[in-house]
Amino acid sequence: MHTERVTIEGAVFLTTLHLAGPVGLLALHGGVEGGTAELAREVASRTGATLLTFTQPLGPPTHIPSIRMSPCTPLTTFLTHTALTISLHGHNRRSTPRTIYAGGSNRPAARILATALSHWAPAFVPITTLSDIPHPLRGLHPDNPVNQTRNGGVQLELPVRARTSHPVPTDPEVPPREVVDGITAGVRTLMEREGVGW
């Protein structure tokens, strides 16, 4: 496990990188999108996936869009090492408080994760049809890190209750066990299918 401070657009981030399996768990907005870093850590520890989280230990948190996250050394190392990225984000859309949007360029992988979430976390509704995902949450831009590993990736946009058991901010955040179980099952399936097109 390697930690490093990086500065992006004036914001100071603490990155935590652990190189392991071919699937990578990425949380670009840990602390801003509560529970995403904790969820990524838990799933990576269960599956042997590679892990990279960004948190902001100093000052008020700043949300920098994914496409503007600079190619700092930890992110470059992560993208070079992994074959497929699962990028965890949070959405706060009041009209869809139980919806998990599965965007990103790797559509077969998105469907695998959605199937696992449907089984393990039935209280939430995973959406994979791109036309049903709000445009800002689709995660399809080529500059988005989720699409820059060699097999692309899946951008999971999670509502508050799918990423923390405490809707009011807490320290530490505690991801719901059923969501951890669902993403873990999906990642394990993806790792088993590595090299066969996902």
Side-chain angles (χ1 to χ4, degrees):
M1 195 80 71
H2 175 73
T3 59
E4 181 178 335
R5 287 181 185 264
V6 299
T7 301
I8 301 172
E9 296 187 8
V12 177
F13 293 86
L14 181 65
T15 65
T16 301
L17 174 66
H18 177 68
L19 298 179
V23 175
L25 273 295
L26 177 63
L28 292 169
H29 302 127
V32 181
E33 296 172 350
T36 54
E38 292 81 2
L39 184 54
R41 281 197 292 269
E42 180 67 19
V43 173
S45 71
R46 288 185 178 199
T47 61
T50 289
L51 172 71
L52 176 60
T53 62
F54 287 72
T55 56
Q56 296 180 55
L58 303 174
T62 301
H63 184 279
I64 298 174
S66 299
I67 62 172
R68 300 208 318 257
M69 293 296 281
S70 301
C72 58
T73 299
L75 183 56
T76 299
T77 302
F78 173 91
L79 295 173
T80 301
H81 178 81
T82 57
L84 176 78
T85 298
I86 311 301
S87 189
L88 302 181
H89 297 261
H91 76 80
N92 293 303
R93 296 187 175 238
R94 293 184 179 180
S95 60
T96 54
R98 294 283 176 179
T99 301
I100 298 173
Y101 297 107
S105 61
N106 193 313
R107 306 314 302 150
R111 288 187 287 272
I112 286 170
L113 283 165
T115 297
L117 282 163
S118 293
H119 176 76
W120 290 96
F124 298 97
V125 180
I127 301 293
T128 60
T129 302
L130 288 173
S131 60
D132 293 337
I133 300 175
H135 191 270
L137 306 183
R138 293 178 185 173
L140 295 177
H141 196 287
D143 291 339
N144 188 327
V146 73
N147 300 316
Q148 294 181 338
T149 40
R150 62 181 177 270
N151 291 306
V154 182
Q155 180 162 305
L156 286 181
E157 293 278 355
L158 302 146
V160 172
R161 292 184 184 277
R163 50 191 161 91
T164 177
S165 301
H166 305 284
V168 177
T170 61
D171 185 16
E173 301 281 2
V174 180
R177 181 154 301 280
E178 64 271 23
V179 175
V180 175
D181 290 344
I183 298 176
T184 295
V187 169
R188 284 177 175 157
T189 298
L190 291 169
M191 292 180 78
E192 291 168 359
R193 298 186 184 184
E194 185 209 354
V196 294
W198 277 308

